[in-house]
Amino acid sequence: MKNILLFAFILININQLSAQDYHLGSVTVKFKPESNHWKLLRDNNLDKLIELDSYLGNHKISSYINPAIISNLNKSGKDVNNLLSSKKINSLERIFVIDYEKNIDPLILSRKLKSFDFIEYAEPRYIHKIFDEGIPNDSLFDKLYHMETCNIIEAWQHIDTAGKIVKIAVVDTGVDYLHEDLEGTIYINPGEDGLDENGNDKRTNGIDDDGNGFIDDYMGWDFGADNIEAGFDNDPMPGHPHGTHVAGIIAAVKNNEIGIAGIGLNTKIIPVKIGYDSPNSRSLTNSYDGLLYAAIAGSDIINCSWGSGGYSQAEQEVVDAVNELGSLIVAAAGNNGAEIAFYPASYDGVISVAAIDALDFRSSFTNYFSTVDISAPGVDVMSTIPVNEYVAWSGTSMASPVVAGIAGLVKMNYPKYSNLQIGEHLKATAQNIDAINPGYSGLLGTGKVDALRAATEEYPVSITLENYKIIEEISDGIIENGERIDIKIELFNALNPVSDVRVFALSTAYYQPQFINDELSAGNFAELESKIVDGTISLRVSNAAELNSTLPITIRIIDGDGRMFTSTITILINPSWRTMRHNNIALTFTSQGNIAYDDFPNNNRGDGFSYNESSNLLFEGALMIAYSHDILANVARGSSGSAKNRDFLIDKPIISEIKSIPNHEYTYTEFNSREDSLISPVKVKQRGYQFSDEGKDDIIFAVYDIINTSDKYQDSVYVGLYLDWDIGPGGSNNKAIWHNIGNFAYQKNIVDENLPVAAVQLMTNQRVNFFAIDNDGETEENPGVYDGFTKEEKWRMLSGRIGRDSSNSTDASMVFGAGPLRLRAGDTSRVAFAFFSGNSLDDVIVTKFLHLQNAYDLIEPKDDFATNPQKNDINLLFPNPASRDVTIELAISDKSHGTLTLWDMNGKLIDEILSFDLSNYEDYRGIYRIKYNLDKLSQGQYILRFLNSWNESVEILNVIK
């Protein structure tokens, strides 16, 4: 029922989501249907799995949906045509909750668990909260402005109530069924009413008389009772008064001379409590158990005035099941006052309700988004609260039951309508409020809910965009500036037959596309007919669109009578990453220094690292450049462990090319460090190279030219990569190892020898630094990263030579880099890494010794990509102090000639180490190293003097014996 289908990604305001929005130490997982794990858990009453024990440690697994609900999904009490399919039931049976003790963020853990071959998906468990901000003769009726603005009183005159009731479930914090204004409105379950065969009251006999798995649930159920061990209870008396307020808006008794009047006629409330018993608690529990229970109990409408900002596949599956059972879900759009998706309101199959005030203006608190379906009054709405009291509250929590109540009126007048048709009928008969809400067109749904139009309009029409397909001019999954795209459209008519339907496309994008064809003829539609429209909407993307920009395409559907329906398609343009696939390795490079993925920890933007079409082997890759323990620029995960640092800003977005001589793929991007007192100014030119020739087809190079853009001399710069390899499911049973003979690092799964081995080596002539990490480590020597990755830890691993040469067998990662580098102001230094893989360590060793250098030589000489020092200099002495040998690194920037000499502290010449003349050489720029033996020198200090055509450079050498 959504008005929008999102291409690639739903963009969420990151400030709305944090670690506090999901339960810590808990994730939801769904097992694949072909695996036996879920059957073992259910049939043998297991609460853990051996395969996960070594990975998670102490953990407990329980059913996501209450087993009583699962076992009784086919006993809904509805018409047989509405029974849930066995396929859908099987799907829900395979979803479980894992509670664990390891100190790893649920978002990161869920992404790692997805790599187990028996797990279909894994995700955090998001915390849901409620969304309040408080001419019948009822004494407070004049306070119910929504009755007038939504034309509810007039609508009552047109509702056929004869012999009908409508059941609306309030899945919320409970309902005060003893309230004076709710007396008689609570639905009584006939299967748990009356006397049993022994003459006992079924409501209290302690027997599951109707066999639905819930004992004595004669008026709903309490899924939030504090006494969980007792299996909850049958008393939905509220904790927080929120649910009672919602119930009163829907169904408070009319003409009883007290209080308020609800919207519904002949409406019965099914109270489903998902709130805790505390009257102060705003958090909810077992929310989707409550949804399924409400559907099984026969609810026509289900109101959900709660939610969160996190999308969940498991929750969408429950929503799908509820829709298949025939219940319409109406939900609040959320109170963040932001353009964001909120759930369950934004799920497919849910009517999302935004809040407006008495004058139809968007409320300041309501969320607005392309997934909103309709708006309703939600400011100062008067209703019931415990105990026999009344209060006006504001929130989308109040707007949602207004729509739910009117949906009940539609159901009463159109009893044969499906849940889908009820929702489309409401949207088709809404009052357009775009004119008084400029800037929010398409973000507040089709308009304000109108009960009178819903009750009286004879032939409403609702044609929606059912599906679409993007056809690229270049089929690479990347839509770039100037590219042509064609859009294939499928439409669906939910209500009455329509004729002469036409489709028009336009865009509100700042960078307007050029439409090649913006109109299609769709013809006639019968009720409930879907049709793929002949032809395509065709356009060419603007050449000026920015990186990661979204291109909204508004689809206007107009029938022969001039009625218009609007949907939106959103397309991602110029993504900030490219995946190289020119040989056996596929690897994503990004525009800001990450590799594998651009959006840790979600890992949706990119394709990771794979070898010979394996599953992903690299969970996170990130560039780090450090000058000291507190001056460090990087895009690796930060001290929280659940979000990455963002210290690099894009200068030139990434491009990719296929080149024929030699046959290779090439990527290029430039980025700068952000301006920060704790980050030294630096520019990075990043390149990727990949060759397809035999022997070179298991290698990919990442080359970084590091440019000191500050005016300061940086004498100890370290450049490296953080690499969280996952060789096999979740990265468990991994070891990160330094290969001392080959001078490279590799990671392998020590249990499954059939999995690939991933390796990395430094190709440029610098000192190597390596540190093997146990991700779950917690000691000073082995700090781990689950609990965060601090700057101090990154510095130690980047600058400590071979700091830890092997991890334990666990979820492992590594830091691999070069340094120290010496960068004068304006100087450039190149650091190049080779990634190479094989089916075994032997394969990796063969590639290293036989093919690696030959492949790297194909990108030499460095020509215009060379390391280009800005002046001649002694770049580095190491070690210093030295006892036997010292390496002298010279930076040469011009076609000069000169000498390198050694002097004692009294000014006496000891040795002329080097005399050179480069004036006739073309390939002269670069860094040169000389190894000098100190055996003939006594202990003390000496002066190294580098004299050339333009300048002199002097360094002190300390000799120890």
Side-chain angles (χ1 to χ4, degrees):
M1 298 176 187
K2 294 284 146 270
N3 289 332
I4 183 171
L5 292 157
L6 296 183
F7 176 70
F9 305 105
I10 294 176
L11 302 178
I12 297 176
N13 183 340
I14 194 166
N15 293 322
Q16 303 297 333
L17 297 178
S18 70
Q20 301 306 311
D21 288 310
Y22 45 79
H23 296 277
L24 300 179
S26 186
V27 292
T28 300
V29 299
K30 183 180 183 183
F31 294 99
K32 291 181 179 178
E34 64 271 18
S35 77
N36 288 321
H37 299 79
W38 63 279
K39 295 177 182 177
L40 288 171
L41 289 166
R42 290 204 184 282
D43 297 344
N44 298 324
N45 294 317
L46 299 179
D47 63 357
K48 65 187 331 184
L49 288 174
I50 295 175
E51 290 94 332
L52 296 178
D53 202 33
S54 61
Y55 183 65
L56 290 176
N58 191 24
H59 69 282
K60 181 179 180 181
I61 304 180
S62 57
S63 176
Y64 177 73
I65 297 298
N66 189 304
I69 297 176
I70 292 289
S71 63
N72 286 280
L73 278 171
N74 278 329
K75 301 176 183 177
S76 66
K78 294 193 173 190
D79 184 271
V80 68
N81 293 324
N82 285 331
L83 296 183
L84 199 61
S85 68
S86 59
K87 182 178 180 181
K88 188 77 69 178
I89 296 171
N90 173 269
S91 184
L92 294 175
E93 281 185 305
R94 295 186 278 111
I95 306 175
F96 290 80
V97 172
I98 301 178
D99 295 304
Y100 60 93
E101 294 182 355
K102 264 194 176 181
N103 186 21
I104 179 172
D105 188 278
L107 188 57
I108 295 175
L109 177 62
S110 63
R111 298 302 183 265
K112 286 182 172 278
L113 285 173
K114 287 196 298 186
S115 60
F116 284 84
D117 59 9
F118 53 83
I119 291 178
E120 187 171 317
Y121 62 74
E123 59 193 18
R125 292 178 56 224
Y126 290 96
I127 299 171
H128 301 296
K129 297 182 179 180
I130 53 181
F131 296 143
D132 60 301
E133 290 279 19
I135 305 219
N137 61 15
D138 304 87
S139 60
L140 296 174
F141 189 80
D142 61 341
K143 306 291 185 182
L144 307 180
Y145 73 89
H146 59 280
M147 291 289 185
E148 180 179 353
T149 61
C150 294
N151 298 319
I152 293 167
I153 302 170
E154 294 91 333
W156 285 341
Q157 314 308 315
H158 301 276
I159 302 298
D160 178 13
T161 62
K164 305 172 188 173
I165 67 165
V166 170
K167 291 174 282 185
I168 300 182
V170 175
V171 180
D172 211 291
T173 62
V175 175
D176 180 5
Y177 48 83
L178 299 178
H179 196 288
E180 61 185 4
D181 226 357
L182 294 174
E183 184 179 356
T185 65
I186 305 301
Y187 176 73
I188 303 301
N189 175 11
E192 294 286 352
D193 192 32
L195 301 179
D196 64 18
E197 59 184 11
N198 296 318
N200 297 318
D201 189 342
K202 290 182 180 180
R203 298 186 181 193
T204 58
N205 64 359
I207 299 173
D208 182 13
D209 295 287
D210 61 357
N212 71 348
F214 297 89
I215 297 172
D216 297 338
D217 61 327
Y218 71 96
M219 58 171 179
W221 195 253
D222 181 359
F223 287 95
D226 292 340
N227 187 9
I228 295 177
E229 297 302 322
F232 313 111
D233 60 51
N234 68 339
D235 185 2
M237 187 61 76
H240 194 285
H242 185 271
T244 303
H245 198 274
V246 168
I249 295 170
I250 295 171
V253 179
K254 300 169 192 62
N255 291 313
N256 62 352
E257 299 184 351
I258 57 173
I260 65 165
I263 294 168
L265 298 175
N266 288 8
T267 297
K268 296 294 183 181
I269 295 293
I270 300 178
V272 183
K273 180 172 173 283
I274 56 171
Y276 295 101
D277 289 342
S278 169
N280 299 314
S281 175
R282 304 177 64 83
S283 295
L284 306 175
T285 184
N286 302 311
S287 308
Y288 287 80
D289 287 291
L291 268 180
L292 268 177
Y293 175 89
I296 294 170
S299 303
D300 299 296
I301 318 292
I302 301 173
N303 186 83
C304 301
S305 290
W306 47 267
S308 72
Y311 173 86
S312 161
Q313 288 181 260
E315 291 174 2
Q316 179 67 71
E317 287 200 49
V318 174
V319 167
D320 293 342
V322 169
N323 275 291
E324 193 168 320
L325 286 167
S327 299
L328 173 68
I329 304 173
V330 180
N335 291 359
N336 302 83
E339 187 176 355
I340 59 172
F342 228 73
Y343 302 93
S346 291
Y347 288 128
D348 290 338
V350 178
I351 294 294
S352 174
V353 184
I356 54 177
D357 64 16
L359 298 177
D360 298 345
F361 291 106
R362 181 189 73 85
S363 72
S364 61
F365 55 78
T366 190
N367 290 343
Y368 47 96
F369 200 64
S370 52
T371 53
V372 170
D373 294 295
I374 202 164
S375 294
V379 178
D380 293 330
V381 179
M382 182 68 69
S383 189
T384 51
I385 62 169
V387 176
N388 294 336
E389 293 186 11
Y390 304 85
V391 68
W393 282 348
S394 298
T396 53
S397 278
M398 286 63 251
S400 181
V402 171
V403 173
I406 296 174
L409 300 179
V410 172
K411 176 64 177 177
M412 190 157 284
N413 254 17
Y414 300 89
K416 293 185 180 180
Y417 263 179
S418 68
N419 49 351
L420 169 68
Q421 289 176 304
I422 295 172
E424 293 303 313
H425 186 105
L426 287 171
K427 290 157 58 178
T429 56
Q431 298 178 30
N432 191 300
I433 56 174
D434 287 347
I436 62 172
N437 289 283
Y440 296 97
S441 177
L443 303 176
L444 297 173
T446 58
K448 179 179 69 173
V449 64
D450 188 325
L452 181 60
R453 288 187 63 188
T456 60
E457 194 163 319
E458 291 189 358
Y459 299 106
V461 173
S462 174
I463 309 174
T464 57
L465 179 63
E466 177 78 355
N467 210 341
Y468 69 94
K469 180 181 180 181
I470 303 291
I471 304 168
E472 301 175 58
E473 183 176 20
I474 304 171
S475 298
D476 58 0
I478 301 292
I479 299 176
E480 299 179 284
N481 285 358
E483 185 172 353
R484 171 176 171 150
I485 56 174
D486 299 303
I487 308 173
K488 196 71 176 174
I489 298 291
E490 181 179 1
L491 302 181
F492 173 66
N493 177 37
L495 299 176
N496 295 287
V498 291
S499 59
D500 193 23
V501 175
R502 302 191 68 79
V503 177
F504 299 88
L506 57 93
S507 179
T508 57
Y510 180 77
Y511 299 104
Q512 278 287 311
Q514 175 191 353
F515 279 96
I516 299 166
N517 181 45
D518 61 0
E519 181 179 348
L520 298 173
S521 176
N524 303 330
F525 285 78
E527 181 180 351
L528 299 176
E529 180 182 2
S530 291
K531 183 190 299 184
I532 297 175
V533 181
D534 291 338
T536 61
I537 298 294
S538 302
L539 57 94
R540 191 169 296 279
V541 177
S542 167
N543 283 314
E546 296 179 345
L547 197 68
N548 289 330
S549 59
T550 53
L551 174 61
I553 305 296
T554 300
I555 303 297
R556 289 181 174 171
I557 307 161
I558 302 177
D559 73 354
D561 294 325
R563 292 170 290 197
M564 184 171 69
F565 313 89
T566 302
S567 296
T568 302
I569 296 170
T570 303
I571 304 170
L572 182 69
I573 306 296
N574 295 332
S576 57
W577 67 93
R578 296 291 185 274
T579 300
M580 303 180 72
R581 305 179 186 274
H582 207 59
N583 61 22
N584 295 330
I585 294 176
L587 176 60
T588 296
F589 285 91
T590 78
S591 298
Q592 290 177 285
N594 285 108
I595 57 177
Y597 297 100
D598 196 38
D599 60 334
F600 171 88
N602 296 303
N603 289 3
N604 292 316
R605 293 167 38 156
D607 299 292
F609 180 111
S610 61
Y611 175 68
N612 278 338
E613 300 183 350
S614 70
S615 59
N616 175 49
L617 305 176
L618 184 58
F619 184 74
E620 181 188 0
L623 180 66
M624 302 190 293
I625 303 175
Y627 303 88
S628 68
H629 72 280
D630 59 353
I631 302 179
L632 188 148
N634 75 110
V635 287
R637 68 182 73 184
S639 56
S640 71
S642 59
K644 72 174 186 175
N645 293 120
R646 301 173 181 272
D647 295 337
F648 297 129
L649 303 178
I650 300 169
D651 186 23
K652 291 186 178 180
I654 193 165
I655 60 168
S656 62
E657 297 180 34
I658 303 293
K659 296 188 175 182
S660 57
I661 302 175
N663 187 9
H664 72 287
E665 186 172 1
Y666 163 78
T667 65
Y668 179 77
T669 186
E670 294 182 12
F671 46 88
N672 301 302
S673 60
R674 60 181 173 83
E675 294 183 9
D676 190 303
S677 60
L678 297 180
I679 299 172
S680 185
V682 66
K683 182 181 185 69
V684 180
K685 296 181 178 181
Q686 172 191 289
R687 298 169 181 81
Y689 294 92
Q690 186 178 45
F691 302 96
S692 60
D693 299 339
E694 185 176 356
K696 303 176 182 66
D697 52 1
D698 292 341
I699 307 165
I700 192 165
F701 295 103
V703 180
Y704 302 93
D705 287 343
I706 312 298
I707 306 169
N708 179 10
T709 55
S710 75
D711 58 359
K712 297 179 180 178
Y713 171 43
Q714 304 292 350
D715 63 351
S716 297
V717 181
Y718 293 84
V719 178
L721 296 171
Y722 172 67
L723 302 169
D724 184 4
W725 298 100
D726 279 359
I727 313 298
S732 59
N733 302 309
N734 273 215
K735 290 195 80 168
I737 302 171
W738 172 252
H739 195 285
N740 193 50
I741 298 175
N743 287 326
F744 66 90
Y746 67 96
Q747 191 152 320
K748 62 179 293 187
N749 188 300
I750 66 167
V751 173
D752 190 346
E753 295 292 335
N754 295 316
L755 292 170
V757 175
V760 59
Q761 176 172 314
L762 183 66
M763 298 305 300
T764 41
N765 191 22
Q766 292 125 356
R767 193 187 84 182
V768 177
N769 301 285
F770 172 80
F771 195 98
I773 307 169
D774 294 358
N775 289 354
D776 56 358
E778 296 179 342
T779 66
E780 181 68 24
E781 297 74 23
N782 179 24
V785 294
Y786 282 170
D787 60 348
F789 199 11
T790 67
K791 281 191 173 183
E792 291 78 6
E793 291 168 344
K794 291 170 182 174
W795 167 256
R796 173 187 164 194
M797 296 176 187
L798 273 172
S799 62
R801 295 182 175 265
I802 310 302
R804 186 168 183 258
D805 61 9
S806 177
S807 72
N808 291 309
S809 175
T810 183
D811 179 16
S813 57
M814 65 176 68
V815 169
F816 188 96
L821 314 177
R822 182 171 290 190
L823 288 170
R824 307 283 178 177
D827 274 4
T828 300
S829 185
R830 169 166 288 189
V831 179
F833 300 98
F835 295 98
F836 49 112
S837 289
N839 294 318
S840 66
L841 179 58
D842 288 342
D843 289 346
V844 165
I845 291 172
V846 168
T847 298
K848 183 267 183 297
F849 285 105
L850 294 186
H851 305 297
L852 211 56
Q853 190 61 49
N854 291 335
Y856 186 65
D857 287 344
L858 292 176
I859 62 174
E860 302 286 347
K862 298 183 177 66
D863 51 74
D864 60 326
F865 304 138
T867 298
N868 292 324
Q870 300 301 298
K871 62 180 181 178
N872 297 330
D873 208 348
I874 299 176
N875 209 44
L876 191 66
L877 298 177
F878 64 93
N880 189 17
S883 59
R884 182 171 182 181
D885 295 295
V886 64
T887 297
I888 306 167
E889 188 175 273
L890 301 178
I892 298 179
S893 64
D894 54 43
K895 296 181 180 181
S896 61
H897 57 84
T899 59
L900 175 67
T901 54
L902 181 70
W903 304 72
D904 67 16
M905 299 303 290
N906 295 317
K908 180 182 178 181
L909 178 65
I910 303 298
D911 194 5
E912 184 177 285
I913 300 173
L914 176 69
S915 178
F916 64 94
D917 185 353
L918 300 175
S919 56
N920 295 320
Y921 290 85
E922 292 297 324
D923 299 325
Y924 52 85
R925 293 187 181 93
I927 303 296
Y928 298 85
R929 285 184 175 179
I930 301 165
K931 196 168 189 177
Y932 184 67
N933 185 269
L934 307 176
D935 287 347
K936 62 184 178 181
L937 299 180
S938 58
Q939 182 167 312
Q941 289 188 322
Y942 297 84
I943 298 172
L944 276 170
R945 185 181 179 196
F946 184 33
L947 182 65
N948 54 67
S949 308
W950 303 101
N951 65 296
E952 180 180 16
S953 177
V954 174
E955 292 288 340
I956 300 298
L957 171 64
N958 294 286
V959 177
I960 57 176
K961 294 294 184 176

